[in-house]
Amino acid sequence: MRSTAFFAGLRAPNSASLVMWLTALAVLMLVGLPLLFIVLQAIFPGFSRGEFAGAFSHFAATLGNADLIRLLLNTLQLGLAVVLVCALLAVPLGALRALTRVPGGAVWDILFLIPFMIPPFIAALSWMLTLQPRGYAQQLIGLDANDFLFSFAGIVFVMTLNVFPVVYFAVSRTMMSIGGRYEAAARVSGASRWRAFWRITLPLSTPGIAASLLLVFALTIEEFGTPATLGAQAGYDVLVTGIHNRFSDWPIDIPGAALLSLLLVLLAMVAFYLQHWLVTRRSYVSQTGKPSANVQSELGVWRWPVLLLFGVTAAAAVAVPILAVLATALTRTLSGGLALNNWSLRHFDALLNHSSGALPALGTSLSLAVAAALLTGILGALVGYLVVRAQVRGRRVLDLLSLLPNTMPGIVIAVGLILAWNQRFWPVQIYNTGIMLLLAYTCLLLPYPVRYSQAALRQMSENLEAAARVSGAGFITTFRRILLPALAPSLVVAMLLVFAIASRELVASLMVAPAGTVTVATFVFSQFEQGSPGVGMAMSAVAIFTTTGLLVALTVFSGKRLPINP
Amino acid sequence: MSSSVSTASIARAVIASLALAGASLAAHAETLTVYSAGPGALINSLAADFKAETGIEVNVFQSTTGQVMARLEAESANPLADVVISASWDSAVDLDAEGLLLNYQSANAALVPDFLKADTYVAQGVSALALIWNRNSSTPAPTDWHDLTNPAYADQITMPDPAQSGAAFQLLTGLISAEGEDATWELISDLSANGMIVPGPNARALNPVLQGAKSVVFGAVDYISLGQQANGEAIDIIFPTSGTVIAPRPMMILKSTQQPAAAKQFIDFVLSEQGQARVAESYLMPARTDIPALRPTINELNIITVDEAVNGQREAILQRFAEAVN
């Protein structure tokens, strides 16, 4: 981990050093520690029992497995396909949103946040309930798309609809902050609108777009819900399902799972360096502190095809899953289908009367999601600053470390956290408390604020901070008065994503939730496991509408300050 | 986040949230920790009843057998669970072989049949494997495992993955014990040739049949479906004429427990008349033979005795299964 070089670099005496030290320490504890324990577990098979015998004895058996190459290639293929389809769908959507006056702009933004609040396994299940034979689509319009859904294309389709908003928001926010100024300059110099877009706006947006596409790649290769739900029937296995099987099939093979996880991390590191190479080749400073009006073009006759594009996307990504969730939640039995005499509120009733605690689960998830959003937001802004601005050695290590969780499946982080924190030597036992869930969410979701703040900082001229320093401001003041407000638009979007994802995170929650604590996702999951899909869907509906309602309220109360309503 | 929001107020909010999360979830020293696979409603009501009777608080972690076992394994340096309830008999046998379980014979286990208890574990309840058939489907009602190789069921069959469902694995060992290796693998190959899919653990195999995308589950645990049938789903739970296997759910106390007395009290309670009545409510067979069940019991079903030697060949059987369905 080259820690000596890293800390030597931090020793530079300035007012920032304490904050930077704490930031580095926090990232090391949050991400480095569980990763270290996973590495130790991969090397020493008996590590979870406190034994160090038989180092590397698992490597041959796990790596020599004939299936491994297939799993690796499938993972890579799936990641690349989802990135490609996401780019084709979301880059045009984001660019249109930023540079033209799309009717109902803010409404589309809110709609495109909703996919984050739908747990991926619920989305996959919804598509199954919709497209399989005798599914909702066949009951309503006679459409049976079973063969499409349970295929590679179907998996890519469903996963794209889950994650494309990452790219949409990155592209639209980046292009908005670049503003129409550069385009105006280009047009004054005689460039056509298209030429200005291709030569100026698009290249200047590269850091944001590249970062978001890498994020999509990382999210895709570590996602479990969709491959597990659709992949099994399609006969399509990926690394994550392999890892998950090692964790959940008796006898449990934690060392094998740890080793496969490290492979996944390696895969993502390659993507990480690719992105790093891409965005640090040139300077992308476009924000100099001078006020810029964001000039949006009129769409004219193009407004109808553009609206159609937004509408179809929203229908597929939001309306279909939500309607399937509601249909399942509001029908008495699945076998009764969408018949009039099958409508019933009994599943919602079960939520209210249930002794299993649906409402406490909602409260737990929401408060943890708020805490995770605040923690990752602050930490993400600091890490972003440290990596982009501070001239310290070892910042690349910190950068890598802060982005790694995106490449580690939730279950791996959870096991790393258990191994790390369930030890007798800690003075305070935080294992088996709610702090574990907060640690897991913060670790898993830290990459969002880090990426967004880095992309924003790369576009911000250093002159702003220099001016503040010359005027006598210390680090804290500069950070608070100059950097934070400038970072705020991207950071708030990232924090909203963190909130949305944390409020429904499943895989890690299943492992680290202390006994006696239920979250929204673990509640829904057990309802499905125990054969109550109606109750599970009713809870999903309540959670999706609550989180969406909170975000809409936040947007309304914040007036024009939030980027979601620019 | 506008510039008017100070870092101090953000910090306060974080600390407040942390305190909230920590305080509401902090574990009590005097509470019993139970890890349970299986019905959440069952373990929650058992915990509530137990607290009402003894005053001892029970912290429940409820999930699938796989998650419960993964958690035990990850915690093995510093185990936290006192009592574990699994849905897979094998897992108790393995934990016992590793010497992780406490010896305890509850007085209330006197009426539990011998094959449902050992020195360190005892059944909480028992399920059986069945064919689950959708009454609205266009297929005829099956009566035996072998019926499903009939072309009438082409592309209409699902099966829980024996790698992910202990009960489905038990079915394979039962079929091998009763009919022999060759016949069993021929049956699985024929089912696969007939378009059978293996979508995951129990609920994933069941859901397509509930909606009607498929018509019949080959080898699902019965109690979930019995509950769904009681709730009005148009399904039948059919116990095959040639026999089926049972999946007992072992309860055990970890040797590492700090509260052996309370843990033993809990086992006693689950095996009491009141506890066993709760088990029956969830459509499982009670472990005790004197408690009435809401469903067919061991005495009424044609049960295949699983050959212990077959049970030990897990890896080989799962490997062979994967070959047969691919």
Side-chain angles (χ1 to χ4, degrees):
Chain A
M1 224 86 333
R2 296 191 305 179
S3 59
T4 40
F6 179 72
F7 288 112
L10 280 179
R11 221 171 279 139
N14 60 47
S15 64
S17 68
L18 179 68
V19 180
M20 294 297 116
W21 262 93
L22 288 176
T23 305
L25 190 69
V27 174
L28 279 176
M29 292 291 273
L30 213 56
V31 184
L33 203 60
L35 184 64
L36 174 70
F37 276 76
I38 286 290
V39 171
L40 289 173
Q41 180 69 68
I43 297 175
F44 306 103
F47 181 73
S48 60
R49 293 150 202 264
E51 294 159 14
F52 288 90
F56 299 103
S57 60
H58 239 74
F59 275 52
T62 307
L63 298 181
N65 193 323
D67 275 351
L68 193 61
I69 298 288
R70 188 174 54 88
L71 291 185
L72 261 173
L73 289 178
N74 280 0
T75 301
L76 208 58
Q77 184 192 29
L78 187 63
L80 292 175
V82 173
V83 164
L84 183 70
V85 181
C86 265
L88 289 177
L89 175 70
V91 174
L93 280 177
L96 283 167
R97 173 74 183 92
L99 305 175
T100 70
R101 233 184 272 281
V102 180
V107 176
W108 298 117
D109 286 351
I110 291 196
L111 281 176
F112 289 162
L113 265 179
I114 295 178
F116 289 114
M117 287 169 265
I118 308 175
F121 86 104
I122 292 291
L125 217 58
S126 296
W127 280 102
M128 238 174 97
L129 290 167
T130 305
L131 294 186
Q132 70 186 4
R134 303 205 191 191
Y136 297 130
Q138 194 174 34
Q139 293 178 38
L140 290 173
I141 55 170
L143 173 72
D144 161 9
N146 194 64
D147 294 344
F148 163 73
L149 185 63
F150 297 107
S151 70
F152 177 69
I155 299 175
V156 172
F157 172 77
V158 171
M159 291 186 101
T160 298
L161 292 178
N162 290 343
V163 292
F164 85 91
V166 171
V167 182
Y168 168 81
F169 283 110
V171 171
S172 62
R173 297 319 123 169
T174 310
M175 288 191 176
M176 272 178 199
S177 76
I178 291 167
R181 225 150 37 90
Y182 286 85
E183 193 197 317
R187 306 234 10 232
V188 166
S189 316
S192 72
R193 185 170 287 177
W194 271 109
R195 195 172 158 82
F197 175 78
W198 282 111
R199 300 296 297 274
I200 307 285
T201 315
L202 193 61
L204 277 175
S205 314
T206 316
I209 299 176
S212 68
L213 287 176
L214 177 72
L215 191 55
V216 163
F217 181 80
L219 283 172
T220 306
I221 65 173
E222 70 102 35
E223 169 54 32
F224 169 71
T226 315
T229 310
L230 303 179
Q233 279 200 51
Y236 197 81
D237 298 330
V238 290
L239 266 179
V240 176
T241 45
I243 292 169
H244 213 270
N245 289 347
R246 285 180 156 73
F247 270 122
S248 56
D249 297 354
W250 184 257
I252 309 294
D253 178 13
I254 294 191
L259 199 53
L260 286 191
S261 307
L262 291 184
L263 278 182
L264 198 62
V265 171
L266 280 179
L267 198 64
M269 271 162 80
V270 174
F272 171 81
Y273 274 107
L274 220 66
Q275 181 248 7
H276 190 80
W277 174 77
L278 202 66
V279 300
T280 50
R281 272 188 315 161
R282 300 190 243 167
S283 164
Y284 293 92
V285 173
S286 58
Q287 212 178 339
T288 52
K290 302 186 191 86
S292 70
N294 185 16
V295 187
Q296 292 181 323
S297 331
E298 292 296 339
L299 277 167
V301 289
W302 284 98
R303 64 186 292 160
W304 298 116
V306 166
L307 272 179
L308 186 71
L309 178 66
F310 275 80
V312 168
T313 308
V318 181
V320 169
I322 299 266
L323 288 175
V325 166
L326 285 176
T328 314
L330 288 168
T331 46
R332 166 167 284 278
T333 62
L334 255 185
S335 50
L338 297 172
L340 266 181
N341 60 4
N342 197 30
W343 295 108
S344 157
L345 285 172
R346 76 172 175 123
H347 300 307
F348 286 96
D349 209 40
L351 281 190
L352 292 175
N353 299 328
H354 220 269
S355 59
S356 62
L359 297 180
L362 194 61
T364 303
S365 280
L366 290 181
S367 50
L368 280 168
V370 169
L374 292 172
L375 260 179
T376 54
I378 295 167
L379 207 51
L382 289 169
V383 170
Y385 179 82
L386 200 56
V387 168
V388 176
R389 284 292 197 267
Q391 295 304 314
V392 292
R393 264 175 295 163
R395 65 176 204 274
R396 294 276 290 277
V397 177
L398 190 67
D399 190 19
L400 182 65
L401 210 54
S402 66
L403 298 179
L404 267 187
N406 259 159
T407 67
M408 296 159 72
I411 194 161
V412 174
I413 289 175
V415 169
L417 284 170
I418 296 177
L419 292 174
W421 291 105
N422 189 28
Q423 301 286 347
R424 293 178 207 270
F425 56 71
W426 294 111
V428 183
Q429 283 294 318
I430 68 159
Y431 183 71
N432 207 29
T433 70
I435 306 286
M436 283 296 282
L437 282 168
L438 189 59
L439 284 181
Y441 297 164
T442 309
C443 176
L444 271 171
L445 300 171
L446 180 63
Y448 288 83
V450 170
R451 269 172 224 271
Y452 278 66
S453 69
Q454 282 185 9
L457 280 167
R458 287 218 164 85
Q459 291 177 336
M460 196 189 300
S461 164
E462 289 191 49
N463 295 339
L464 291 173
E465 294 142 69
R469 294 246 177 71
V470 167
S471 317
F475 171 74
I476 306 268
T477 313
T478 311
F479 193 83
R480 194 158 64 83
R481 301 289 296 275
I482 306 288
L483 290 171
L484 211 50
L487 281 180
S490 331
L491 207 54
V492 170
V493 170
M495 286 166 71
L496 291 180
L497 293 187
V498 170
F499 172 81
I501 298 176
S503 66
R504 51 84 170 157
E505 200 285 333
L506 171 68
V507 181
S509 309
L510 279 176
M511 292 294 294
V512 303
T517 299
V518 178
T519 71
V520 164
T522 61
F523 179 92
V524 171
F525 181 75
S526 17
Q527 293 304 320
F528 281 108
E529 285 298 318
Q530 294 158 29
S532 311
V535 179
M537 286 303 200
M539 182 63 169
S540 303
V542 169
I544 293 167
F545 287 119
T546 309
T547 44
T548 308
L550 282 174
L551 291 188
V552 172
L554 186 67
T555 311
V556 170
F557 281 122
S558 67
K560 298 250 167 204
R561 287 199 208 120
L562 278 185
I564 213 172
N565 184 18
Chain B
M1 212 60 45
S2 76
S3 56
S4 63
V5 181
S6 72
T7 27
S9 67
I10 294 175
R12 272 198 300 276
V14 171
I15 290 163
S17 311
L18 277 170
L20 183 80
S24 65
L25 309 171
H28 290 269
E30 291 304 306
T31 54
L32 199 62
T33 301
V34 176
Y35 287 9
S36 169
L42 171 59
I43 191 63
N44 285 334
S45 57
L46 285 173
D49 293 353
F50 180 67
K51 193 194 172 194
E53 181 152 316
T54 62
I56 301 170
E57 188 94 38
V58 182
N59 261 334
V60 172
F61 170 68
Q62 185 276 324
S63 193
T64 58
T65 301
Q67 294 286 353
V68 167
M69 291 303 150
R71 196 159 156 141
L72 284 180
E73 188 84 21
E75 287 174 356
S76 48
N78 188 24
L80 289 174
D82 300 302
V83 175
V84 176
I85 304 172
S86 162
S88 161
W89 199 249
D90 292 1
S91 56
V93 175
D94 285 7
L95 290 175
D96 185 41
E98 289 175 47
L100 297 172
L101 304 180
L102 190 76
N103 264 337
Y104 181 58
Q105 281 280 347
S106 169
N108 289 346
L111 286 162
V112 175
D114 283 345
F115 70 98
L116 293 179
K117 60 189 177 190
D119 290 344
T120 56
Y121 48 93
V122 59
Q124 172 203 37
V126 182
S127 63
L129 282 123
L131 298 164
I132 314 295
W133 174 69
N134 186 321
R135 282 200 299 265
N136 297 338
S137 79
S138 50
T139 58
T143 59
D144 194 59
W145 308 115
H146 293 269
D147 290 357
L148 300 189
T149 57
N150 190 307
Y153 299 97
D155 295 325
Q156 292 300 313
I157 317 157
T158 72
M159 179 182 174
D161 188 347
Q164 298 178 54
S165 157
F169 176 74
Q170 208 65 44
L171 175 60
L172 287 181
T173 59
L175 289 172
I176 292 171
S177 305
E179 306 187 8
E181 294 238 3
D182 293 345
T184 302
W185 297 126
E186 200 183 313
L187 171 64
I188 300 293
S189 297
D190 289 349
L191 290 170
S192 181
N194 209 15
M196 178 177 80
I197 57 162
V198 185
N202 279 294
R204 293 232 190 90
L206 193 56
N207 282 335
V209 172
L210 284 182
Q211 201 183 29
K214 304 283 171 181
S215 302
V216 56
V217 190
F218 177 89
V221 284
D222 54 5
Y223 72 96
I224 292 177
S225 301
L226 286 161
Q228 287 171 327
Q229 190 188 40
N231 274 326
E233 295 288 0
I235 49 173
D236 280 346
I237 293 88
I238 299 161
F239 295 101
T241 47
S242 67
T244 187
V245 297
I246 52 167
R249 314 164 69 81
M251 290 192 284
M252 49 221 137
I253 303 173
L254 291 186
K255 209 179 237 171
S256 54
T257 179
Q258 304 292 307
Q259 309 172 81
K264 288 173 182 174
Q265 259 182 293
F266 185 78
I267 302 283
D268 291 347
F269 180 77
V270 177
L271 292 175
S272 70
E273 281 185 23
Q274 190 187 353
Q276 289 288 291
R278 288 287 191 194
V279 171
E281 281 170 23
S282 60
Y283 297 96
L284 287 160
M285 301 172 220
R288 271 169 61 163
T289 48
D290 61 327
I291 308 292
L294 299 176
R295 45 152 301 139
T297 60
I298 300 171
N299 299 330
E300 300 151 59
L301 297 173
N302 178 11
I303 307 286
I304 299 169
T305 310
V306 177
D307 186 347
E308 285 303 319
V310 177
N311 242 342
Q313 302 165 10
R314 187 177 163 88
E315 293 294 319
I317 289 174
L318 291 180
Q319 181 70 37
R320 191 70 185 77
F321 178 82
E323 285 163 21
V325 294
N326 280 329

